[in-house]
Amino acid sequence: MSGFSPEQLIDLTYIVAAVLFILSLKWLSSPVTARHGVWAGEIGAALAVVATLFNPELVAYKWVIIALIVGAGIGIPLGMVRMTAVPQRTALSHAFGALSATMIGIAEYYVRAPQVTKFGMTEIGLEVIIGSLTFTGSLIAAGKLQEILPQRPIVYRGQNIVSLSVLGSAIVLALILVLHPEYMVLFPVMVGVALFFGVLLVTPIGGADMPTVISLLNSYAGLSAALLGFVLNSKVLVVAGALDGSSGFILSVIMCKAMNRSFTNVMFGAFGQVQTSAKAAGEEKVVRSANAEEAASILSSASKVVIVPGYGMAVAQAQHKVRELFDALTKRGVDVKFGIHPVAGRMPGHMNVLLAEADIPYDRLLDMDNVNSDLPQTDVALIIGANDVTNPAARTDTGSPIYGMPIIDVDKAHTVMVIKRSMNPGFAGIDNPLYYMDQTLMLFGDAKSFVGDIVREIAGGGGH
Ligand code: NAP
């Protein structure tokens, strides 16, 4: 290592960190390599932090240590939340990331002002505006998901014009500062207006769209970090921010496609505002229900079973019982596969993570397109705590808020069994005609205990 100067060593470490970030994203895209992806990302981030600590410009370690203790004090408990709370936890992480980018941008302005170049002021202005709106927008998103704030979209006439005018004002203030960086009084006003815009941006969006919004805010946080990288002349921050920004954006596009929604519809559509119900006035629909013994008998006499998990499996933490069911049926020669909808649960990859935790073999997990071609030849589709992602109204009811969303075609299986606790709707708040079909049996109960009961019945020979 003697041939390298300390600066070169730091740069080399940054390059290794950047490569690890890229590999991390690549590996995270498949359940088989996802664990490696997490490790690569963590090691990359640790290397970037350590290399920065050796930066000769760093003069006082006292503040770094204080920040480390405060950050760890907040980060460690945040990392221990239940998996179903990960979307709001992620929103909080974006809020903190954006807050730090904003504060560094503010500090840079005051360190340099009034001698800020036009280019430098453009960078700082953009970075602080995006950072500020991401900070408040992410806090509102976390509050909605945690149900501290109302989940429903809060809308009023002329809302988009008001919101766009507020954003426009922040941009005009930034432009004035680019031309006159010495008008220092305008800077905090610009920050305040951008913070206010973040609130206006997210309040009209309903809870159902929050995961998509969070992924979009993720991309804004990345963009603001990349801009901060330009402000601070930090290449690793530019690379990490650009990767974060672009991957967040791609994820939002994937989620929009999986729900057949456009970006504008997510941002301005106020989805979930009107709680529609498929129940026509006075119409009484009949459902057929079954108990664990009957379900066990149907499952064990099937030759092909497709299990479709959803949010309810996550809430009930039923994945290990589902694994036991998988084992029991496979032992009896039943071909069991899992149909994974891209937006099942409350975050992308939610079902994959849970089923991987329960050691379900990856080759048994089929994505929506693959499982849909199997379903017409499937004896039993067993739905465990999923609802919207199986709702045939998305195919047939043009008036439904989820019309056009691709679904798992469980209604094409010969028999459909649905484990859920009641007839309550899912996240989109709409009725599911699947439950009233002739081939459907409702298995009312908590996912974990009901699946456990079925496993016991099969083991006890109740299957035949
Ligand atoms: P869902 O439509 O929200 O339905 C979940 C069902 O689980 C509910 O109907 C509920 O019925 C049942 N349930 C809850 N707790 C249960 C328990 N302990 N045991 C058994 N059942 C339980 O879920 P989904 O089908 O997975 O669909 C996901 C929804 O989230 C979609 O609308 C999707 O667009 C939206 N979304 C997801 C993402 C993402 O990234 N995954 C992003 C944006 C939006 P009961 O109350 O009757 O039990």
Side-chain angles (χ1 to χ4, degrees):
M1 285 297 191
S2 54
F4 293 106
S5 69
E7 283 75 15
Q8 283 173 326
L9 269 181
I10 291 176
D11 278 345
L12 204 68
T13 314
Y14 283 155
I15 293 172
V16 175
V19 171
L20 284 170
F21 291 151
I22 294 167
L23 286 175
S24 167
L25 286 175
K26 163 101 191 89
W27 287 333
L28 279 171
S29 60
S30 155
V32 186
T33 50
R35 277 176 217 266
H36 296 129
V38 174
W39 276 107
E42 284 175 349
I43 295 170
L47 282 178
V49 171
V50 171
T52 307
L53 290 178
F54 284 100
N55 189 326
E57 285 175 44
L58 211 154
V59 282
Y61 279 94
K62 189 178 83 183
W63 291 106
V64 176
I65 293 167
I66 293 174
L68 256 175
I69 294 170
V70 174
I74 298 172
I76 292 171
L78 265 187
M80 295 196 289
V81 299
R82 283 168 64 100
M83 201 182 289
T84 43
V86 164
Q88 47 268 52
R89 191 210 63 81
T90 311
L92 281 182
S93 304
H94 297 157
F96 288 134
L99 178 66
S100 74
T102 308
M103 285 170 63
I104 298 171
I106 293 173
E108 279 296 312
Y109 172 75
Y110 284 110
V111 167
R112 296 184 198 179
Q115 273 84 43
V116 196
T117 61
K118 285 196 171 54
F119 187 69
M121 193 61 230
T122 310
E123 287 173 339
I124 293 178
L126 267 178
E127 190 257 300
V128 168
I129 289 177
I130 298 175
S132 305
L133 71 88
T134 307
F135 171 58
T136 44
S138 301
L139 283 184
I140 300 282
K144 282 199 176 210
L145 283 167
Q146 191 62 30
E147 294 180 28
I148 300 167
L149 297 172
Q151 292 235 347
R152 72 195 155 77
I154 298 167
V155 283
Y156 57 88
R157 267 172 87 89
Q159 181 156 35
N160 293 342
I161 294 169
V162 172
S163 302
L164 289 176
S165 315
V166 172
L167 176 64
S169 319
I171 294 171
V172 169
L173 287 167
L175 284 175
I176 298 174
L177 279 162
V178 168
L179 299 174
H180 298 283
E182 70 280 7
Y183 292 177
M184 289 172 75
V185 68
L186 292 186
F187 193 82
V189 181
M190 180 193 77
V191 176
V193 173
L195 287 170
F196 183 48
F197 176 70
V199 177
L200 296 184
L201 181 74
V202 181
T203 27
I205 304 172
D209 279 330
M210 257 333 113
T212 319
V213 171
I214 286 170
S215 160
L216 205 60
L217 289 167
N218 174 48
S219 104
Y220 293 168
L223 192 60
S224 116
L227 283 164
L228 182 64
F230 284 108
V231 174
L232 298 178
N233 198 15
S234 161
K235 291 179 200 69
V236 75
L237 206 50
V238 173
V239 173
L243 288 173
D244 192 16
S246 49
S247 56
F249 184 73
I250 293 169
L251 185 57
S252 318
V253 172
I254 293 173
M255 287 162 85
C256 280
K257 273 201 184 140
M259 295 186 289
N260 193 36
R261 315 272 313 281
S262 69
F263 253 161
T264 28
N265 187 263
V266 169
M267 299 305 286
F268 307 112
F271 183 76
Q273 183 192 10
V274 189
Q275 295 285 310
T276 41
S277 165
K279 282 188 204 110
E283 189 186 340
E284 267 304 318
K285 293 190 204 161
V286 186
V287 297
R288 288 192 306 143
S289 63
N291 59 25
E293 192 186 343
E294 289 157 332
S297 161
I298 293 169
L299 282 168
S300 30
S301 41
S303 52
K304 281 182 103 175
V305 170
V306 166
I307 297 178
V308 180
Y311 175 64
M313 183 187 82
V315 182
Q317 287 291 295
Q319 62 273 25
H320 298 287
K321 287 284 167 215
V322 171
R323 164 78 210 218
E324 287 175 27
L325 178 63
F326 170 80
D327 287 342
L329 290 174
T330 310
K331 221 165 74 191
R332 289 187 157 231
V334 182
D335 174 33
V336 185
K337 288 179 184 148
F338 290 80
I340 311 292
H341 192 283
V343 293
R346 289 294 179 267
M347 59 187 167
H350 200 167
M351 296 301 122
N352 295 77
V353 172
L354 290 173
L355 296 175
E357 187 193 312
D359 287 325
I360 305 275
Y362 299 128
D363 64 351
R364 298 278 98 191
L365 312 186
L366 300 188
D367 62 25
M368 182 167 52
D369 295 335
N370 284 327
V371 84
N372 276 349
S373 55
D374 264 18
L375 276 161
Q377 302 89 45
T378 297
D379 301 306
V380 184
L382 175 65
I383 298 151
I384 305 180
N387 189 345
D388 295 343
V389 299
T390 62
N391 191 337
R395 278 200 321 259
T396 53
D397 180 0
T398 47
S400 169
I402 61 164
Y403 180 70
M405 167 173 150
I407 56 153
I408 300 201
D409 297 329
V410 283
D411 54 323
K412 306 233 166 115
H414 304 166
T415 302
V416 181
M417 295 200 286
V418 184
I419 302 181
K420 72 199 291 290
R421 297 162 307 174
S422 65
M423 290 301 287
N424 286 345
F427 207 51
I430 49 172
D431 203 12
N432 191 340
L434 177 75
Y435 305 153
Y436 312 103
M437 289 181 172
D438 290 343
Q439 79 270 40
T440 304
L441 282 173
M442 300 301 291
L443 310 177
F444 289 115
D446 171 74
K448 188 173 175 180
S449 52
F450 208 110
V451 174
D453 290 347
I454 297 178
V455 174
R456 261 191 302 283
E457 288 294 335
I458 294 175
H464 278 298

